[in-house]
Amino acid sequence: MIKGDNDGQIAYGDRSKHVKSVRIPHGGRPSPDNFGLTFHVASPLQDSVGVITPSSLHYFATTRGSFLPDIDPREHRFMIHGMVDRPLTFTMEDLKRLPSVTRLHFIECAGNRSSRRAKTVQETHGMTSCAEWTGVLLSTLLKECGLKGGASWFVAEGVEEVKGASSMPIAKAMDDCIVAYGMNGEAVRPQNGFPLRLMVPGFEGIFHTKWLRRIKIVDRYYMNYNDYGHLHEDAKEKEAALSYQIGPKSVITFPSGGQQLPGKGFYEISGLAWSGGGAIKLVEVS
């Protein structure tokens, strides 16, 4: 039943009571925990219909735990500074007035892998999801700012309490990165970075900076909070850039662990395949 609120408006639509797909805590830690920190939650890939993950079922990851920021989009500001001719600060309205793109991209946590304890595809591969993202190309914003000679890397930072930051090549920024404010036809969900998330197609999920507040243009690779543990301290720049790419990977979602076929007969095998280094054209099953 659709309930109305006090203003006579129709409430946000609910799914059928017969649909039971839910996310689950991942990695052996409750989410949220007793202190209210949110950790990994895995998407129910075994229930996928098509390739798009509903926003409410999209995976969420933060290895160190996080309190979700409560950000008023009217007050939020996004800054680009560093090695640019014109440092600029954008409001959400500024960004929404610029030319936008809408693209389908997957995100995957680097820790998305099987373990001896895992029994279902949600437990083995649930830390990946695919959604439709809408926003402004980062290259559009950088052209407005003007890059100075020698600018070769950028550092993206969110507003969460740990100020998680990541270094990425400027070539990637000028290629296909999106400063996204939309997800599956609505605003980005809070767990996925509301009101602004950096999309870095094909790179590990930790580099898709949530709650994006600033980008600094620099002339070399910096090891930041989110980079630590992914790379060794003396990693070379080329090595660092290539190590960010995901895949290729694939997984069978039906039939998969925990599912039971009703009887003998022919069944269509279904699954998902993804890669950060190019398009998937063929998947072979043996």
Side-chain angles (χ1 to χ4, degrees), residues 4-258:
D5 60 22
N6 294 332
D7 297 326
Q9 298 176 338
I10 302 300
Y12 196 89
D14 294 328
R15 63 182 182 178
S16 168
K17 65 180 181 180
H18 301 289
V19 177
K20 305 297 183 181
S21 298
V22 294
R23 297 183 299 177
I24 60 173
H26 188 271
R29 288 185 290 195
S31 183
D33 66 8
N34 292 333
F35 300 98
L37 288 170
T38 303
F39 290 93
H40 287 13
V41 288
S43 180
L45 298 186
Q46 70 278 4
D47 299 325
S48 297
V49 180
V51 298
I52 294 180
T53 308
S55 298
S56 58
L57 295 177
H58 199 284
Y59 93 90
F60 172 74
T62 169
T63 56
R64 302 158 189 90
S66 176
F67 294 107
L68 295 183
D70 183 11
I71 302 172
D72 184 343
R74 296 169 298 183
E75 302 296 329
H76 188 65
R77 299 294 183 269
F78 168 55
M79 177 174 63
I80 299 178
H81 65 124
M83 297 181 66
V84 295
D85 298 324
R86 297 172 298 280
L88 294 176
T89 300
F90 301 90
T91 66
M92 292 300 298
E93 290 304 315
D94 291 336
L95 294 172
K96 291 180 179 180
R97 283 197 292 264
L98 294 171
S100 65
V101 297
T102 297
R103 295 176 179 175
L104 201 66
H105 289 302
F106 78 91
I107 309 177
E108 181 182 20
C109 176
N112 196 38
R113 63 179 69 92
S114 183
S115 70
R116 293 181 179 180
R117 296 177 298 177
K119 297 180 180 179
T120 69
V121 69
Q122 185 171 14
E123 294 172 344
T124 61
H125 291 80
M127 299 301 291
T128 186
S129 296
C130 182
E132 184 182 76
W133 302 92
T134 298
V136 183
L137 287 172
L138 179 54
S139 59
T140 299
L141 302 178
L142 294 181
K143 290 174 184 177
E144 287 292 317
C145 294
L147 295 176
K148 290 186 176 181
S152 56
W153 286 76
F154 72 98
V155 179
E157 181 184 84
V159 305
E160 70 272 38
E161 66 274 8
V162 297
K163 299 295 183 291
S166 301
S167 291
M168 288 164 276
I170 202 72
K172 183 64 175 175
M174 299 303 293
D175 182 17
D176 56 1
C177 290
I178 302 173
V179 176
Y181 47 77
M183 176 184 182
N184 290 338
E186 61 179 359
V188 174
R189 291 291 182 94
Q191 284 191 343
N192 279 285
F194 180 85
L196 212 55
R197 179 173 196 166
L198 179 65
M199 292 299 300
V200 191
F203 276 32
E204 294 176 1
I206 199 169
F207 298 103
H208 297 240
T209 309
K210 297 188 287 287
W211 315 295
L212 182 66
R213 76 163 189 164
R214 71 180 178 119
I215 283 178
K216 184 176 183 179
I217 309 301
V218 294
D219 60 355
R220 63 184 177 88
Y221 166 73
Y222 284 84
M223 180 169 284
N224 293 284
Y225 186 83
N226 284 343
D227 301 316
Y228 183 77
H230 287 246
L231 300 167
H232 52 79
E233 293 184 2
D234 58 347
K236 296 180 180 179
E237 291 189 354
K238 185 176 181 180
E239 176 186 349
L242 292 177
S243 70
Y244 295 167
Q245 289 185 344
I246 286 288
K249 288 185 176 181
S250 63
V251 64
I252 293 175
T253 56
F254 178 84
S256 60

Side-chain angles (χ1 to χ4, degrees), residues 260-283:
Q260 186 173 359
L261 300 177
K264 297 180 179 180
F266 290 95
Y267 293 90
E268 182 179 65
I269 296 174
S270 60
L272 300 168
W274 60 98
S275 173
I280 300 291
K281 294 185 177 180
L282 177 68
V283 176

